[in-house]
Amino acid sequence: MPDEYDYGAVRSSLKLKKPSDLFKKSKKKKSKKSKKHTDASSNADGGRTKTEAEQRFDDMQMKRKLERIDQLAEKSFGDRVKEFNEKMERTPEHNDMPKVGPG
């Protein structure tokens, strides 16, 4: 009596690709039309102009970046280290166990 799993099962050895077949790549020929098209559309932003909102967004990002640079340039390294040390003194250590219960 045949099992229900015997129907549709393939009973052959596993066929593997040869190593030379694994590394073959097909070569595609480019026509002159497609080459000219890619040269014409290769701009920094993908060949399209920015909208007004995108331009404002980029301007604001640049403005904020310059403000951050100016803010960092105002303080010397020693001042930044001192400020960092003060901040670390104010924050509790994460390993400190809070007191629980009567004590």
Side-chain angles (χ1 to χ4, degrees):
M1 185 160 111
D3 279 343
E4 61 186 74
Y5 296 110
D6 286 342
Y7 297 110
V10 178
R11 303 235 177 204
S12 66
S13 62
L14 184 63
K15 296 179 183 177
L16 299 175
K17 291 183 178 180
K18 294 179 183 176
S20 62
D21 293 342
L22 291 176
F23 300 107
K24 286 185 180 178
K25 294 183 180 179
S26 61
K27 295 182 181 180
K28 297 180 182 178
K29 294 183 180 181
K30 293 184 179 180
S31 65
K32 292 180 181 181
K33 292 179 184 178
S34 64
K35 188 174 183 180
K36 288 179 183 178
H37 179 67
T38 56
D39 291 340
S41 66
S42 61
N43 289 344
D45 57 352
R48 65 180 189 94
T49 58
K50 293 184 179 182
T51 62
E52 186 179 327
E54 289 174 331
Q55 188 64 39
R56 283 194 315 249
F57 177 76
D58 289 341
D59 291 341
M60 286 303 294
Q61 272 193 331
M62 184 62 75
K63 182 181 175 184
R64 289 182 183 133
K65 185 177 181 180
L66 292 174
E67 287 175 0
R68 269 187 249 120
I69 291 171
D70 289 341
Q71 188 179 19
L72 286 174
E74 289 176 358
K75 297 180 184 178
S76 67
F77 178 74
D79 293 339
R80 281 185 271 158
V81 169
K82 196 179 295 184
E83 185 179 311
F84 177 74
N85 286 336
E86 290 172 0
K87 178 183 172 186
M88 293 305 289
E89 286 176 3
R90 283 183 297 211
T91 59
E93 293 184 26
H94 67 280
N95 290 330
D96 284 348
M97 295 297 291
K99 292 185 179 180
V100 179

